[in-house]
């Protein structure tokens, strides 16, 4: 069984910063891509940022230059540093990871439970 647990959400004023973290635990052979998604009320879930096992990153246009995704492979963690936050960044943020449980298993996508980020104007 694999679990992803997010932390670091909260309430912040516009222009402020937050750092989200996500830790993977359980039976893990390897972790491929890791990503952060978000879902605002009444909207579809959208990709915020993603990072490959080799460290290549990509970002949604709306967060480029403000958010930074990073990962710690030894600790099986992914982080999202969010700076210059705007009210439109308010959403539930979800961690996702593509994980293999053994050398012969195929990758499976796992999701965290989500953490609320609220940016006040």
């Amino acid at each position: 069984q694999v679990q992803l647990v997010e932390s670091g959400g909260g309430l912040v004023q516009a222009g402020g910063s937050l750092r989200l973290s996500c830790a993977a635990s359980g039976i893990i052979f390897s972790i491929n891509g890791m990503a952060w998604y978000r879902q605002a009320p009444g909207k579809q879930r959208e990709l915020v940022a993603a990072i490959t096992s080799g460290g290549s990153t990509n970002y949604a246009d709306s967060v480029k230059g403000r958010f930074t995704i990073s990962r710690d492979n030894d600790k099986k963690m992914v982080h999202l540093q969010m700076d210059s936050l705007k009210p439109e960044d308010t959403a539930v943020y979800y961690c996702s990871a593509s994980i293999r449980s053994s050398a012969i298993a195929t990758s499976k996508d796992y999701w965290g439970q989500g953490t609320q980020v609220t940016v006040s104007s």
Side-chain angles (χ1 to χ4, degrees):
Q1 189 74 4
V2 172
Q3 278 192 319
L4 298 180
V5 178
E6 300 106 336
S7 61
L11 173 65
V12 64
Q13 288 189 332
S17 298
L18 281 175
R19 179 177 170 86
L20 304 183
S21 295
C22 173
S25 63
I27 302 174
I28 297 172
F29 174 76
S30 65
I31 303 177
N32 301 321
M34 304 184 83
W36 288 94
Y37 288 76
R38 67 186 180 188
Q39 187 167 19
K43 295 188 177 181
Q44 289 189 328
R45 190 173 298 189
E46 63 173 355
L47 175 66
V48 175
I51 185 167
T52 68
S53 57
S56 296
T57 59
N58 70 283
Y59 297 91
D61 288 343
S62 60
V63 307
K64 281 181 181 177
R66 300 188 298 120
F67 291 10
T68 303
I69 189 171
S70 62
R71 63 190 284 172
D72 184 330
N73 292 327
D74 290 338
K75 294 183 178 179
K76 299 182 178 64
M77 295 187 72
V78 63
H79 307 282
L80 185 68
Q81 177 66 41
M82 305 186 294
D83 299 317
S84 302
L85 282 160
K86 304 175 181 179
E88 50 263 45
D89 294 319
T90 295
V92 177
Y93 283 70
Y94 298 90
C95 168
S96 176
S98 179
I99 296 174
R100 294 172 66 193
S101 58
S102 73
I104 60 172
T106 56
S107 292
K108 180 179 177 181
D109 291 337
Y110 293 87
W111 292 84
Q113 79 287 354
T115 185
Q116 177 70 46
V117 171
T118 302
V119 184
S120 63
S121 57

